[in-house]
């Protein structure tokens, strides 16, 4: 089918949640490149919004999936699953966490994390059930995660939302302290807010949040759905903050493109889930976990987390050399980068990048978000910088 035919079919049959999408459909990918149905070739500097950590058609992921498809796709969590146990062990060994539960998406992982914090307090009989999160956050599209997402546009159509959720300004410890009550069970935050424009939380702030949680027996949940799996130059972003959460969520890059999410928790909290308290049909099935194991294998064989750190530093330093007054700020860590542009040019820069064959996203109206595959090279970065400089000069 050509692009026009696909667009027409989409318009006729798909719910209109994504509106007028970017005008392209892809049929093949290889490494950093995506090939469109109309012959155009694009450099993928968004990585499926921080999903395609290995780029496209990575041989290790492809082989693992082919092998798994030949053997078995799905059984049920009624039975033991070798890949699930192995991937849980990988995550546990690589982090400060003791136990893992697999979901299928980031929102489902966050739901699981919120439920775990609630049940921890329920079983202790403290009467705490509230969740404080931050303005400009993004935690997903289910009802509870929308209630935790500090953005009016996502909450407004769905009121009344579940009880007990509130949001405060990010990086403002006094505001957070004032929002916490004797009913608060958890504080939920992204160490770098992704969707609203790549906004890192201060390390000093996070340290104070950790101390507050310790003092008040509040569960600290880090949503690392976007920042996790090597994206910020460490396997998880908490590792470069000096603060350990009690519960951590992951998804996006965990399966390199195959849907999988995870809730990781320290034993003290994880043990609150007992048989029947939580569950899932698809979460952690043999295929999804084969993908997760392959992502870890590629990370190890190709030092991709190290590459994320090194290429992230190089990318940042090259971006910081650009002198254009159309850029107001460059934020981020590792390969999660936000280029904040002046309002009058942001949309055109984004569109011009697309026209020149570079996929990025425009968040919060003025930030170009970059989340390229962790396989990225200096040459790829140099190519992007040259095109961006040219656009900034012309626009
Ligand atoms: C930080 C964060 N949390 C949660 C989610 C929701 O993940 P999903 O779309 O897989 O449900 C996202 C998605 O962008 C995210 O960036």
């Amino acid at each position: 089918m050509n692009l026009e035919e696909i667009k027409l079919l989409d318009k006729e049959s798909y719910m209109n949640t994504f509106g007028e999408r970017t005008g392209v459909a892809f049929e093949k990918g290889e490494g950093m490149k995506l090939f469109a149905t109309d012959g155009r070739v694009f450099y993928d500097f968004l990585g499926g919004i921080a999903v395609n950590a290995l780029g496209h058609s990575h041989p290790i992921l492809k082989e693992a999936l082919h092998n798994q498809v030949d053997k078995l796709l799905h059984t049920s969590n009624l039975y033991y699953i070798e890949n699930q146990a192995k991937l849980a062990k990988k995550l546990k060994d690589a982090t400060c966490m003791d136990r893992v539960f697999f979901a299928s998406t980031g929102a489902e992982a966050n739901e699981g994390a919120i439920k775990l914090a609630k049940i921890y307090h329920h079983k202790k009989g403290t009467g705490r059930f509230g969740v404080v999160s931050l303005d400009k956050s993004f935690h997903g599209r289910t009802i509870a995660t929308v209630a935790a997402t500090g953005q009016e546009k996502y909450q407004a159509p769905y009121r009344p939302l579940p009880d007990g959720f509130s949001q405060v300004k990010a990086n403002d410890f006094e505001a957070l302290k004032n929002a916490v009550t004797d009913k608060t069970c958890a504080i939920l935050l992204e160490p770098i807010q992704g969707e609203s424009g790549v906004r890192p939380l201060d390390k000093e702030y996070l340290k104070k949040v950790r101390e507050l949680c310790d003092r008040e027996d509040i569960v600290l949940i880090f949503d690392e759905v976007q920042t996790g799996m090597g994206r910020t130059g460490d396997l998880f972003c908490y590792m470069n903050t000096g603060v350990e959460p009690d519960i951590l969520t992951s998804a996006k890059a965990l399966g390199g493109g195959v849907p999988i999410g995870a809730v990781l928790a320290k034993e003290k909290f994880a043990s609150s889930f007992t048989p029947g308290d939580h569950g899932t049909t698809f979460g952690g099935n043999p295929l999804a976990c084969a993908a997760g194991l392959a992502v870890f294998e590629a990370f190890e064989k190709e030092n991709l987390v190290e590459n994320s750190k090194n290429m992230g530093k190089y990318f940042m330093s090259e971006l910081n050399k650009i002198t254009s007054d159309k850029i107001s700020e460059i934020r981020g860590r590792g390969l999660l980068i936000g280029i904040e542009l002046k309002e009058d040019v942001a949309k055109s820069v984004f569109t011009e990048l697309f026209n020149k064959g570079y996929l990025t996203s425009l968040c919060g109206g003025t930030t170009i978000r970059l989340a390229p595959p962790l396989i990225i090279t200096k040459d790829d970065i140099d190519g992007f910088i040259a095109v961006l400089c040219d656009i900034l000069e012309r626009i």
Side-chain angles (χ1 to χ4, degrees), residues 29-31 53-63 294 298 302 304 375:
E30 208 179 305
L54 307 184
H56 300 279
S57 299
H58 192 287
I60 292 177
L61 182 57
K62 257 185 3 188
E63 195 191 341
E302 298 176 13
L304 292 182
I375 56 167

Side-chain angles (χ1 to χ4, degrees), residues 239-394:
M239 294 168 177
N240 54 48
T241 65
V243 166
E244 287 184 2
D246 301 312
I247 302 177
L248 171 76
T249 57
S250 176
K252 288 196 182 268
L254 182 56
V258 175
I260 181 168
V263 185
L264 285 68
K266 296 205 169 174
E267 183 65 31
K268 178 176 165 189
F269 305 94
S271 59
S272 305
F273 273 158
T274 53
D277 288 334
H278 192 49
T280 170
T281 295
F282 288 120
N285 85 2
L287 184 73
C289 290
L293 288 167
V295 169
F296 269 102
E297 187 185 332
F299 275 16
E300 284 155 21
K301 285 194 171 142
E302 298 176 13
N303 286 323
L304 292 182
V305 180
E306 190 64 21
N307 196 56
S308 170
K309 185 171 267 169
N310 294 337
M311 289 304 106
K313 278 190 187 141
Y314 178 71
F315 211 152
M316 275 289 189
S317 79
E318 292 304 294
L319 284 169
N320 280 315
K321 284 182 198 161
I322 302 176
T323 49
S324 171
D325 60 3
K326 285 154 196 153
I327 295 182
S328 39
E329 195 182 15
I330 293 164
R331 300 185 290 265
R333 206 173 295 152
L335 289 171
L336 183 58
I337 296 172
I339 307 169
E340 183 76 32
L341 293 163
K342 294 279 160 60
E343 204 172 343
D344 54 333
V345 296
K347 182 83 200 296
S348 322
V349 172
F350 165 74
T351 307
E352 271 300 288
L353 279 168
F354 176 77
N355 292 339
K356 294 282 173 194
Y358 283 89
L359 300 178
T360 66
S361 86
L362 185 63
C363 359
T366 50
T367 313
I368 301 279
R369 175 175 42 174
L370 308 175
L374 312 190
I375 56 167
I376 197 169
T377 63
K378 278 189 176 180
D379 281 351
D380 298 323
I381 295 169
D382 292 345
F384 176 89
I385 297 280
V387 168
L388 177 65
C389 287
D390 178 55
I391 293 169
L392 290 170
E393 264 171 38
R394 280 188 297 106

Side-chain angles (χ1 to χ4, degrees), residues 49-51 104-110 137-142 145 149 189-195 223-227 249 251-252 260-261 369:
I49 319 185
V51 168
S104 300
T105 65
E108 192 195 346
N110 284 334
S137 57
F138 187 82
H139 298 294
R141 302 290 200 147
T142 60
T145 57
T149 289
L189 48 85
E190 301 154 86
I192 301 176
Q193 296 188 317
E195 203 260 356
D223 174 348
E224 294 230 33
V225 165
Q226 187 157 162
T227 55
T249 57
K252 288 196 182 268
I260 181 168
R369 175 175 42 174

Side-chain angles (χ1 to χ4, degrees), residues 54-107:
L54 307 184
H56 300 279
S57 299
H58 192 287
I60 292 177
L61 182 57
K62 257 185 3 188
E63 195 191 341
L65 290 176
H66 282 150
N67 288 342
Q68 192 59 47
V69 166
D70 281 344
K71 284 194 297 189
L72 186 69
L73 292 180
H74 179 86
T75 51
S76 159
N77 282 309
L78 293 172
Y79 313 108
Y80 291 97
I81 300 171
E82 181 179 338
N83 287 350
Q84 186 182 90
K86 282 182 173 166
L87 185 59
K89 168 97 171 110
K90 273 266 171 217
L91 284 162
K92 165 186 153 131
D93 287 351
T95 63
C96 62
M97 298 299 171
D98 300 310
R99 285 186 190 276
V100 179
F101 175 88
F102 290 114
S104 300
T105 65

